[in-house]
Amino acid sequence: MLFFGGDYNPEQWPEEVWAEDVALMRRAGVNIATVGVFSWSNLEPERGRYEFGWLDRVLDLLHAGGIKVALATPTASPPPWFSLAHPEALPVNADGVRLTHGSRDTYCVSSPAYRAAAREIAGRLAERYAHHPALAMWHVHNEYGTDCRCDVTAAAFRTWLRKKHGDLDALNEAWTTAFWSQRYSAWEQIMPPRTTQYLSNPAHALDFRRFLSDELLGGFVEQRDLLRAANPEVPVTTNFVQGGWVSVDHARWAEEVDIVAVDHYPDDAGPGAEEETAFAADLARGWGGGSWLLMETGPNLIYTRGRMHAKEPGRLTAHSLSYVARGSSGAMYFQWRQPRGGAELFHSALVPHAGPDTPVFREAVALGRTLRNLSEVATADPPAASVAVTWDAPSWWALQAPGLPSKDIDYLGAVRQAHRALFRAKLQTDFVFPGVATGFGDYAMIVVPHLYLVSDEAAAAFRDYVAAGGHLVVTYLSGIAEPDTRIRLGGYPGAFREILGVRVVEWHPQPSGTTITLDDGLTADRWIERVETAGAETISLYAGGPLAGAPAVTRNRYGSGSAWYVSTGLTDDSLQTLLSRVAREAGAEPVLTGLPPEVEAVRRGDLLFLFNHGSVPADVGDVVVPAGGVRIRSAVEGPAVGRG
Ligand code: GAL
Ligand code: ZN
C-alpha cells in the first residue's frame, strides 16, 4: 500500500464536520491522516488538565473509516500557559531579544522546563494511544529547527564543546582564536553566537550550528525512546524540512528515525518546480538509504517568494508521482482541509475553502485511484542510480559565513545546479554524504559541488573511489578547509589537490551574471581561478579575461579512474554538456535513450514512470504522454498500467 493523505486538524472544526471529513477521505481513497501536530493547547488546556476525549473520538472515527493515523506529538507549539509559566523557555534571538508566544516554535530546546513538558505530553499520548488500532506511525514534533541563543543554551553549548574539543587549547586552536584576540581562558567566556560589532568567528558559528542540530536531535530522541518503549512495533519519525533555511544535519538525523519523512514545497512556479521536486526526492531517498516518505507538500498551491501560485490541472498528480517514482512510500499533503483562520488561512489544501466540488479535490480522487493501482510500487526496489552528487550540511553552513571571497557563493544553488544538469541529461541521480559515510559504493560518476569542508577520512574515501575506477567531478570551493574551517595549506582545492593533479593559487570571483567563455565553447557566468596543473591534462582553457590561456577544466587519470576539476561556475547548459561527457566516459547510462527533452523517465522496480513537462503530447515509443501528464508502464514490457 502507498500512503495517501495528509495533515488533518479536526481541532479547528466543530465535530459535525468530522463525519464529512471521513466520508470525503474515503471518497478520495485517503488511507492516512497526520493528527495532532499543533494540538497541545487542545490536549492540555491548562497545566496537568488533559482533554483526550476529542482525540479518542477522532481516532475512532478514522479507524472506523479504515484510515490509519500518523499521530503527532504537539511539542513544536507549546500553549500560552506554558510560555507564561516558563518565560525562560522562550527563544532568544541573536540580538538577545526574547521572543513571545503567539506564533509557533516558541520554545528553547535546551530549556529543562520545555523538555520536561514535552516528555510529559508525549508520554501521555504514548500511554493512551500506543496500541490504538489506527496508529500507523508516530510523528514527533514538526520540522525541528528552532534556534535559541539564551543563557541556558549557552551552558548546553559549552557542555557540547567540552565533549567535542576536550580542552580549551584544542578549541582555541580549532577556532583560530589567536585572530582578533579571541582566546578563551575559561569555558564560561564562550557564548552562543550573538550580534557582534563586526565580523564574527566562522568556526564558532559553525560549531554552534552543529551543536544546535545535535541539541534538537536530543529533543527528538528522548521522545522517540519513550514512544518506542510504549510499543516497539510502531515506527517513529519526524518531518524533515527542505529548503533555504535548515538548522539540522539530516544526513545524521536519518540514522535516528525509523522512516525518513520529508516536507517539500517547491518555490518555482515554472518548470523549475519539477526539477526541485526531483532534487528533493532524490536527496530524501539518500537520507533514507533508499526509502522515505513524502510527509507534506502543497496539493494545489506553489508558494513562490511572495505569491501563491495555483497549480495547473494535472500538476498535483505529476508532482506526487514524481516523489513516488523516486522512492517515496506514498504522497501526503499539508493539508486536508483549508482552515477558516489562523496564520496560514490561505495555505494549500485538498479540501479548499470552496469545498470538495473543486478541481483539486477531483484531482485528488483520481490520484487516490492511481496510487491504489500502484500499490505494488510500495515494496519495489528504489530507483537505481549510477551517478551521485554530494551533500554536506556543514559545508553549506560554513559557506554562509561572513568574510567569504564573494557574496554570490551559494552552496544550495550549486548542489541544485549539479542535480539539475544530471536531471536534464536524463541520468537518475543519488546523493552521497561525505560527512557521514565512509565509502561511495559503485557509482560510475560522483559530482562534488562546493564541498568546502572535507575531513581526512572523506578525502581518503574519495581517493579510494577514484583509484578503484570511479569518475569524480569536483567544482571550485571544494576541499578548501578541514571540518573546523581551518584552511588546508599549499594551494586549493586542498583535500583534492593530489587526486585532481592541480593547484589553485588565486581566486578571481566574478559577479554572477558575468560572461566567461572557454576555448571549447563552454560558458560560465561566475567565478574564475588561476589553476596550475600538476599532472592533470587541460580539457579547456579560459578564452578571455584576466586568466586567458590558463586551464579552466582539467582531468587527471588517477589509479583506474579519473578526477575532473571545474574551476569556474559553468552555466546550466555547459555543466550539462560537461557532465554528460564525463558520464559517457564513465559508462553511466540514462534511464531511456532518445527521449524528447521535455520527457523525464524514472524507473522504480519494474515500473517506468514517464513525465511530460512540455506543452504538447510526447510520443515515447508505444506510449503517448499528454502535455503535463504522466504515464506508467512496465519497464520490462507491456502497456501502460496506470494513468495520471
Ligand atoms: C510546512 C509545515 C506546516 C505548514 C506548511 C505550510 O513546512 O510543516 O505546518 O506550515 O509548511 O504550508
Ligand atoms: Zn535557549
Side-chain angles (χ1 to χ4, degrees):
M1 180 190 95
L2 288 167
F3 287 120
F4 179 52
D7 278 61
Y8 178 41
N9 300 102
E11 68 275 25
Q12 296 172 9
W13 298 92
E15 290 205 26
E16 305 83 80
V17 180
W18 301 357
E20 192 203 355
D21 284 328
V22 174
L24 289 174
M25 286 182 191
R26 288 174 61 88
R27 198 186 324 154
V30 162
N31 56 28
I32 187 158
T34 305
V35 177
V37 180
F38 293 110
S39 52
W40 195 342
S41 67
N42 290 75
L43 292 170
E44 191 181 1
E46 288 169 55
R47 156 143 276 159
R49 182 166 71 76
Y50 296 96
E51 284 186 1
F52 288 117
W54 68 270
L55 188 55
D56 293 351
R57 294 195 291 286
V58 167
L59 263 56
D60 293 347
L61 205 62
L62 289 166
H63 180 59
I67 297 156
K68 292 283 177 199
V69 170
L71 186 57
T73 66
T75 52
S77 199
W81 61 254
F82 174 80
S83 304
L84 290 168
H86 292 283
E88 84 286 359
L90 283 162
V92 171
N93 69 16
D95 293 328
V97 174
R98 196 176 286 283
L99 307 180
T100 188
H101 63 278
S103 179
R104 67 180 192 188
D105 297 283
T106 36
Y107 63 89
C108 163
V109 80
S110 304
S111 152
Y114 167 74
R115 289 283 271 267
R119 282 193 304 270
E120 181 68 31
I121 186 71
R124 297 271 171 167
L125 288 165
E127 197 175 277
R128 196 169 183 99
Y129 300 110
H131 294 278
H132 194 284
L135 185 65
M137 69 182 82
W138 290 106
H139 174 303
V140 174
H141 205 88
N142 189 66
E143 297 184 341
Y144 272 100
T146 301
D147 179 314
C148 177
R149 315 222 165 176
C150 74
D151 292 344
V152 175
T153 301
F157 182 37
R158 290 176 203 129
T159 305
W160 184 93
L161 289 169
R162 271 178 199 258
K163 208 161 141 225
K164 176 177 173 188
H165 295 280
D167 57 46
L168 270 180
D169 285 346
L171 177 140
N172 279 310
E173 176 75 7
W175 288 11
T176 321
T177 55
F179 194 85
W180 284 352
S181 178
Q182 291 174 355
R183 192 168 180 85
Y184 294 103
S185 55
W187 290 100
E188 291 62 41
Q189 296 161 2
I190 303 172
M191 301 303 291
R194 292 184 185 157
T195 307
T196 47
Q197 201 288 126
Y198 186 44
L199 305 182
S200 54
N201 183 319
H204 177 199
L206 182 60
D207 260 353
F208 185 75
R209 298 204 62 168
R210 290 193 171 110
F211 151 78
L212 189 65
S213 178
D214 285 356
E215 189 75 350
L216 290 161
L217 184 59
F220 166 76
V221 164
E222 83 188 5
Q223 289 195 42
R224 178 202 66 192
D225 289 349
L226 63 86
L227 297 169
R228 265 192 196 158
N231 183 353
E233 303 292 304
V234 180
V236 185
T237 192
T238 180
N239 48 343
F240 293 178
V241 62
Q242 285 212 13
W245 72 274
V246 175
S247 310
V248 308
D249 186 347
H250 292 127
R252 288 187 184 285
W253 278 57
E255 295 163 8
E256 302 291 346
V257 297
D258 295 324
I259 305 168
V260 164
V262 169
D263 297 352
H264 181 247
Y265 295 86
D267 61 12
D268 184 332
E274 283 67 37
E275 294 171 339
E276 284 184 47
T277 297
F279 170 84
D282 289 342
L283 184 53
R285 185 179 66 255
W287 289 331
S291 63
W292 66 287
L293 172 62
L294 176 75
M295 185 59 89
E296 285 183 27
T297 190
N300 59 341
L301 297 173
I302 293 178
Y303 310 113
T304 63
R305 285 176 211 102
R307 193 167 294 120
M308 294 184 193
H309 172 92
K311 282 191 187 176
E312 296 74 4
R315 220 165 180 196
L316 160 62
T317 306
H319 288 185
S320 304
L321 292 175
S322 170
Y323 296 115
V324 168
R326 293 186 149 77
S328 175
S329 25
M332 295 173 64
Y333 308 90
F334 184 88
Q335 57 192 318
W336 169 251
R337 197 183 269 281
Q338 200 169 20
R340 292 197 66 176
E344 294 183 337
L345 73 173
F346 294 112
H347 275 228
S348 191
L350 288 159
V351 183
H353 292 147
D357 183 14
T358 42
V360 59
F361 190 73
R362 281 190 289 273
E363 192 169 332
V365 172
L367 176 59
R369 213 176 306 122
T370 303
L371 293 174
R372 263 195 314 284
N373 290 337
L374 286 175
S375 56
E376 81 269 28
V377 180
T379 51
D381 289 339
S386 54
V387 306
V389 177
T390 56
W391 173 263
D392 185 50
S395 289
W396 181 13
W397 299 338
L399 288 175
Q400 290 171 338
L404 295 175
S406 166
K407 67 178 170 53
D408 301 316
I409 293 171
D410 176 4
Y411 176 84
L412 181 60
V415 180
R416 279 188 177 165
Q417 192 205 21
H419 183 275
R420 184 161 67 235
L422 297 168
F423 174 93
R424 293 180 185 173
K426 321 269 183 217
L427 289 158
Q428 219 154 274
T429 302
D430 277 353
F431 279 90
V432 292
F433 308 99
V436 298
T438 45
F440 300 121
D442 302 328
Y443 295 105
M445 172 172 86
I446 299 180
V447 186
V448 181
H450 286 17
L451 188 64
Y452 181 72
L453 307 174
V454 178
S455 66
D456 292 345
E457 298 74 48
F462 282 114
R463 218 162 26 239
D464 294 348
Y465 166 77
V466 180
H471 296 257
L472 195 68
V473 183
V474 177
T475 82
Y476 68 101
L477 285 171
S478 297
I480 307 303
E482 294 169 354
D484 276 317
T485 75
R486 300 265 289 173
I487 298 298
R488 290 177 175 274
L489 301 179
Y492 311 130
F496 292 111
R497 219 161 50 221
E498 186 204 335
I499 30 175
L500 291 170
V502 299
R503 177 166 173 263
V504 173
V505 296
E506 259 170 35
W507 286 336
H508 293 250
Q510 307 289 306
S512 55
T514 315
T515 304
I516 298 149
T517 45
L518 310 189
D519 67 335
D520 56 359
L522 295 184
T523 55
D525 61 8
R526 65 199 64 201
W527 193 277
I528 59 177
E529 298 182 339
R530 187 177 299 283
V531 178
E532 297 174 356
T533 54
E537 57 184 302
T538 299
I539 299 291
S540 32
L541 300 167
Y542 288 108
L547 299 179
V553 178
T554 60
R555 175 179 57 195
N556 193 35
R557 305 283 181 195
Y558 186 89
S560 339
S562 70
W564 295 66
Y565 186 57
V566 184
S567 69
T568 183
L570 294 177
T571 58
D572 280 8
D573 286 351
S574 291
L575 186 61
Q576 186 186 333
T577 304
L578 181 73
L579 294 182
S580 302
R581 169 177 173 184
V582 183
R584 268 194 310 278
E585 283 186 20
E589 298 281 347
V591 184
L592 276 188
T593 45
L595 283 178
E598 63 285 357
V599 174
E600 172 200 349
V602 186
R603 185 180 167 157
R604 178 172 177 191
D606 286 336
L607 290 181
L608 187 65
F609 291 72
L610 297 164
F611 299 87
N612 179 1
H613 303 306
S615 51
V616 292
D619 236 308
V620 186
D622 53 349
V623 194
V624 176
V625 190
V630 190
R631 287 292 177 267
I632 304 162
R633 65 177 185 80
S634 162
V636 198
E637 57 182 27
V641 298
R643 294 169 167 262

